[in-house]
Amino acid sequence: MINYNDRLKIVGERIKKERKRNNWSKVDLLTKIYMAASSHKTITAWENGTRMPDLASLARMAEVFCCDIGYLLGDYNE
């Protein structure tokens, strides 16, 4: 079982990996999940593992990254 702090780190690493794999800036990703360019500090906090994305943001990221939420949460590796 993954503890919360480890999950924060895993989620951040996966968001960053998928964002970079798609060659998107933080603003690009924000525009895709929120349909607007919010503060890039939000993505930075997620990627650094200091904040967990809310469920709606995770669902949108899973959609734009073409993956399951479980992957982003670290439940499995593919």
Side-chain angles (χ1 to χ4, degrees), residues 43-61:
I43 300 288
T44 300
W46 295 343
E47 291 182 352
N48 289 339
T50 56
R51 274 185 48 201
M52 179 69 77
D54 59 57
L55 184 57
S57 297
L58 281 168
R60 288 185 194 110
M61 281 187 278

Side-chain angles (χ1 to χ4, degrees), residues 16-70:
K16 186 174 187 175
K17 175 184 172 184
E18 293 301 316
R19 180 178 61 78
K20 288 188 174 216
R21 185 178 65 80
N22 285 285
N23 293 315
W24 295 335
S25 70
K26 292 174 183 177
V27 173
D28 291 337
L29 179 56
L30 285 167
T31 301
K32 291 180 183 310
I33 62 175
Y34 290 125
M35 308 303 178
S38 302
S39 172
H40 71 279
K41 292 179 183 179
T42 300
I43 300 288
T44 300
W46 295 343
E47 291 182 352
N48 289 339
T50 56
R51 274 185 48 201
M52 179 69 77
D54 59 57
L55 184 57
S57 297
L58 281 168
R60 288 185 194 110
M61 281 187 278
E63 186 177 331
V64 300
F65 291 148
C66 298
C67 67
D68 290 334
I69 291 174

